């Protein structure tokens, strides 16, 4: 009996939510605001404001100031991997350490050599969302909302039959809520060249309320965009805002009978950023070795509530695809390639 088949016999999870914070470093997740960056005027424009909002000498209090829902709810009720201070490591396997290769690895379960840059080429590799969308009771129930324009290419929108709303896509629904979001998107400026994460979030939230998908994949991009701009103020402010978005989405879903106590949440990132050389925090890629360092968190009725992992161990981004499937009771074995095994330590037996 396979791992996922055995798990399917006793699982309580019927819905899955995956939220990705693009380029969010593990350093801020586990240690909070970085004093070295706060004290560099080229990165932090308003040092006094940032210190008043996010600084505390205690790293645990610092990280809770930045991401209170993440630490007081997700970590408290689930598990968090990737604090390298304890030798608990999570890494990408692709050598490129870029956005498209990272999301590709996460959703296909391997480092696809054909996806070596952020160039918008259509992926030929089967992804786990397409796989889940083919399963009984999940057909037409998988939805993707993303700030980045890469997802129609990664997920092969023309052939996958997934619902995908990305970047400048409008919402083809007639309700006043969706029409208002379309109008807001039309009138909004784009300080990061892509639509604001807030609009991506609200589109996903209204879709949940109206259409109740069983799988929701939400990819937010402003943490990466503001970091590339060298704007540490907005990088931190965005992380805080997105923690609040996750909190409110989770609260909403727990108020709905379809989702209450039957939903697992995964929160992660697609790649890390530079840190050993502080000036490299704005970037990532093959030339910045520590930008392959990531983190993974999960909570739900079938997730071990073990909190922050403090044991030595190694996880990989490529394990997430099979993990998403396994949480729902499926065994992801793509037709196009071999995917890595799921994270067994994360799921209750």
């Amino acid at each position: 009996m396979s791992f996922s088949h055995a798990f399917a016999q006793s699982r309580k999870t019927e819905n899955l939510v995956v939220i990705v914070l693009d380029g969010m470093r593990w350093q801020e997740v586990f240690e909070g605001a970085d004093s070295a960056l706060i004290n560099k005027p080229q990165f932090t424009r308003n040092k006094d404001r940032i210190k008043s909002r996010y600084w505390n000498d205690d790293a645990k209090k610092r990280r809770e100031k930045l991401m209170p829902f993440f630490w007081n709810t997700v970590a408290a009720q689930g598990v968090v991997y990737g604090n390298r201070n304890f030798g608990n490591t999570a890494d990408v396997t692709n050598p490129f350490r870029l956005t498209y290769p990272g999301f590709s690895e996460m959703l296909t379960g391997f480092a696809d050599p054909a996806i070596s840059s952020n160039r918008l080429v259509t992926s030929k590799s089967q992804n786990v969302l397409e796989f889940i969308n083919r399963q009984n009771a999940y057909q037409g129930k998988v939805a993707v909302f993303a700030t980045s324009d890469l997802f129609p290419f990664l997920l092969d929108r023309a052939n996958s039959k997934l619902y995908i709303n990305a970047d400048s896509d409008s919402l083809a629904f007639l309700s006043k809520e969706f029409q208002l979001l379309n109008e807001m998107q039309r009138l909004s400026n784009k300080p990061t060249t892509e639509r604001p994460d807030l609009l991506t979030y609200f589109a996903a939230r209204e879709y949940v309320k109206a259409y109740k998908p069983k799988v929701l994949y939400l990819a937010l991009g402003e943490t990466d965009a503001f970091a590339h701009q060298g704007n540490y103020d907005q990088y931190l402010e965005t992380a805080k805002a997105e923690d609040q978005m996750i909190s409110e989405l989770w609260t909403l879903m727990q108020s709905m009978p379809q989702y209450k106590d039957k939903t697992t949440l995964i929160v992660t990132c697609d790649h890390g950023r530079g840190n050993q050389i502080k000036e490299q925090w704005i970037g990532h890629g093959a030339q910045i070795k520590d930008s392959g360092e990531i983190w993974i968190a999960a909570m739900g009725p079938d997730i071990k509530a073990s909190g922050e992992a403090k044991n030595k161990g190694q996880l990989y981004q490529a394990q997430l695809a099979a993990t998403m499937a396994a949480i729902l009771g499926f065994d992801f074995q793509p037709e196009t390639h071999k995917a890595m095994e799921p994270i067994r330590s994360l799921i209750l037996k």
Side-chain angles (χ1 to χ4, degrees):
M1 182 180 291
S2 71
F3 168 75
S4 58
H5 181 70
F7 169 69
Q9 307 303 308
S10 59
R11 70 179 174 88
K12 298 177 182 177
T13 299
E14 298 177 9
N15 313 281
L16 176 66
V17 178
V18 180
I19 301 177
V20 186
L21 308 185
D22 194 333
M24 182 69 194
R25 299 196 311 172
W26 73 266
Q27 287 87 354
E28 279 81 16
V29 172
F30 290 100
E31 300 172 350
D34 187 332
S35 61
L37 296 178
I38 290 175
N39 288 310
K40 288 184 180 294
Q42 69 266 40
F43 298 136
T44 301
R45 279 65 167 173
N46 192 330
K47 174 180 173 180
D48 292 340
R49 172 182 166 80
I50 291 301
K51 288 191 71 173
S52 69
R53 285 174 61 79
Y54 300 114
W55 186 254
N56 190 290
D57 290 338
D58 186 313
K60 287 187 176 180
K61 291 180 180 178
R62 239 179 9 251
R63 69 190 190 184
E64 289 175 11
K65 275 176 163 285
L66 183 64
M67 303 176 74
F69 178 75
F70 184 92
W71 284 107
N72 296 324
T73 302
V74 180
Q77 298 178 18
V79 60
V80 183
Y81 300 105
N83 190 340
R84 304 176 91 88
N85 296 314
F86 297 115
N88 192 270
T89 58
D91 295 276
V92 305
T93 65
N94 76 82
F96 312 110
R97 306 184 185 109
L98 297 171
T99 298
Y100 194 172
F103 278 109
S104 172
E105 178 180 333
M106 184 190 306
L107 291 174
T108 63
F110 86 127
D112 188 343
I115 307 298
S116 60
S117 72
N118 288 332
R119 192 164 61 91
L120 297 180
V121 297
T122 300
S123 172
K124 305 296 185 184
S125 300
Q126 186 181 22
N127 65 77
V128 70
L129 299 180
E130 176 186 10
F131 167 81
I132 294 171
N133 198 51
R134 292 177 178 176
Q135 308 307 311
N136 291 337
Y138 287 85
Q139 295 174 7
K141 294 292 186 180
V142 180
V144 178
F145 288 83
T147 293
S148 172
D149 61 356
L150 69 83
F151 283 87
F153 298 88
L154 167 57
L155 302 175
D156 190 7
R157 175 154 57 185
N159 297 304
S160 67
K161 298 181 180 180
L162 293 166
Y163 178 76
I164 304 167
N165 180 277
D167 191 25
S168 59
D169 290 343
S170 60
L171 295 151
F173 308 108
L174 297 178
S175 75
K176 62 181 181 181
E177 291 84 0
F178 288 118
Q179 290 305 306
L180 176 60
L181 283 168
N182 283 339
E183 191 73 0
M184 291 171 68
Q185 179 164 293
R186 184 180 68 82
L187 294 173
S188 175
N189 68 337
K190 292 185 174 182
T192 68
T193 74
E194 297 172 324
R195 74 176 174 197
D197 281 343
L198 191 65
L199 294 180
T200 303
Y201 162 74
F202 275 118
R205 191 190 74 172
E206 292 306 312
Y207 189 90
V208 166
K209 289 163 65 176
Y211 297 102
K212 302 177 180 62
K214 294 176 74 68
V215 176
L216 175 68
Y217 188 90
L218 175 59
L220 303 173
E222 287 183 4
T223 40
D224 187 61
F226 284 121
H228 280 305
Q229 292 178 9
N231 190 336
Y232 199 60
D233 305 62
Q234 285 303 310
Y235 172 80
L236 295 178
E237 297 282 21
T238 296
K240 177 66 175 288
E242 292 178 354
D243 179 82
Q244 184 65 32
M245 292 178 205
I246 298 169
S247 172
E248 295 195 4
L249 180 63
W250 184 254
T251 299
L252 169 68
M253 297 180 83
Q254 290 301 304
S255 74
M256 302 170 69
Q258 174 180 321
Y259 299 112
K260 182 175 173 58
D261 300 327
K262 294 180 285 189
T263 302
T264 287
L265 170 69
I266 295 174
V267 188
T268 187
C269 65
D270 54 331
H271 57 73
R273 320 196 69 79
N275 183 64
Q276 292 179 21
I277 301 172
K278 284 296 180 183
E279 285 70 21
Q280 289 185 339
W281 83 277
I282 67 173
H284 56 91
Q287 74 283 7
I288 301 176
K289 183 177 180 181
D290 43 352
S291 64
E293 300 169 355
I294 62 167
W295 49 273
I296 299 166
M299 71 171 176
D302 300 297
I303 300 300
K304 291 181 180 179
S306 52
E308 182 180 5
K310 298 180 179 178
N311 58 302
K312 289 186 178 180
Q314 175 70 64
L315 296 178
Y316 294 102
Q317 184 177 61
Q319 293 180 268
L320 281 166
T323 301
M324 294 176 203
I327 286 169
L328 296 172
F330 302 124
D331 187 10
F332 180 53
Q333 295 189 17
E335 301 163 0
T336 57
H337 60 275
K338 181 174 177 55
M340 287 191 74
E341 294 290 312
I343 304 171
R344 291 180 168 84
S345 62
L346 182 147
I347 304 173
L348 289 168
K349 297 295 191 295

